[in-house]
Each structure stands twice: as structure tokens, then as C-alpha cells.
Amino acid sequence: MKVYIAGPFFNPEQIDVTERIEAMLGRLGCNIFSPRVECFCPPTATVEQRVKSFQGNCNGIRSADIVLARIDDFDPGTIWELGYGYGLRRAFESNPNLGELASPKLYAYTTVPSRGLNLMLAQSVDGFLQGLPSVWKFLQEMTLHGSDKEAQKWRGEII
């Protein structure tokens, strides 16, 4: 299972959570695409570096089975990644002959107590998780049983 890790990594707390997710996925033997590692692009990057980073992220999403996105800080890049993943899935559903196009499942998670999803995210993700223990349980279920039961507990809850 290939997992694209979407989420901000601009301060120590965000990096810590992202590294925890990377470690969880690593322990489960998943193929990980983490932009923090794969295509980090500093603010001082050249235009060529920015284009390469953007294309790398798009390719990572296209080739993922799952996009796992942290929505705690409503990071614009993370929200865009979810939207792009949703658009890929809709394109694939409209034309199943697009064999080279991935159709990733989209899961959002939060570490903020009582945070939910807004209307647009609630309609576009396949599941939502609250807290890192829930994310761990979900990843184990997906890896071992192909089940997203843990991510379905949220249904109907919006911000």
C-alpha cells in the first residue's frame, strides 16, 4: 500500500506529528511518499526547484493508494492536495480507461480535540480520524485487513 502523507511541516510540532505518521507507516511496511522528505522546497527555491517539487507532489498523489492528510492547521497546500486527489478520483470514475491515473482514497485526520470537517472536506474524503491512536488503528486495519472501519466513525460530523 502506497500512502501519500499530506500535511504541514513548518514548525517543530508539525514535523513531530509528520514523523510519527511516517514511523507508523514504516512499521507497517507501507510504501511512503512524504513531501517533507521526497520534495522539500525551501522558500528560497528557484523556479526550477519549485516546478520540480510541484510535479513530484502531483506524481506522488497520482501513484498513491491513500492520501492521508492532517487538517489541524488548515494548511492551504494540504487542502489543495486533498482537492487534487478528489479530482483524480472523479476523473477516473468518469473515464475508467485512464489506467495510468491513480484513484487514491482520501483520509483526513486531526490531533485537535473536537475538530470536525467542513462541508467540502466531509463530501470529498473517504474517512476522518481523530487523534493519533485512531490513525494508528486505522493504518493497522488497512494494512492487515483492507478495512477503513476506524475512519468511518466520523460520518455526518462537520465543523
Side-chain angles (χ1 to χ4, degrees), residues 20-133:
R20 287 177 186 218
I21 297 296
E22 292 165 352
M24 287 178 197
L25 290 163
R27 280 194 299 275
L28 293 169
C30 295
N31 185 351
I32 304 165
F33 186 99
S34 179
R36 182 186 76 79
V37 175
E38 303 291 334
C39 12
F40 176 72
C41 189
T44 58
T46 65
V47 171
E48 292 81 15
Q49 289 171 310
R50 291 175 188 199
V51 168
K52 184 177 178 182
S53 178
F54 177 79
Q55 290 172 339
N57 283 305
C58 291
N59 290 337
I61 294 168
R62 280 195 299 271
S63 65
D65 299 306
I66 291 174
V67 173
L68 181 62
R70 182 180 185 203
I71 62 158
D72 288 356
D73 302 309
F74 300 109
D75 170 59
T78 303
I79 303 305
W80 185 90
E81 289 162 326
L82 282 171
Y84 184 68
Y86 180 77
L88 287 172
R89 186 170 64 219
R90 295 294 297 157
F92 187 79
E93 289 168 356
S94 298
N95 187 356
N97 295 325
L98 297 173
E100 74 281 355
L101 204 70
S103 182
K105 288 204 158 241
L106 309 172
Y107 296 94
Y109 74 96
T110 184
T111 61
V112 177
S114 72
R115 164 99 10 109
L117 296 172
N118 71 12
L119 171 68
M120 299 305 281
L121 288 178
Q123 293 300 306
S124 60
V125 299
D126 295 291
F128 180 59
L129 302 147
Q130 294 176 304
L132 292 179

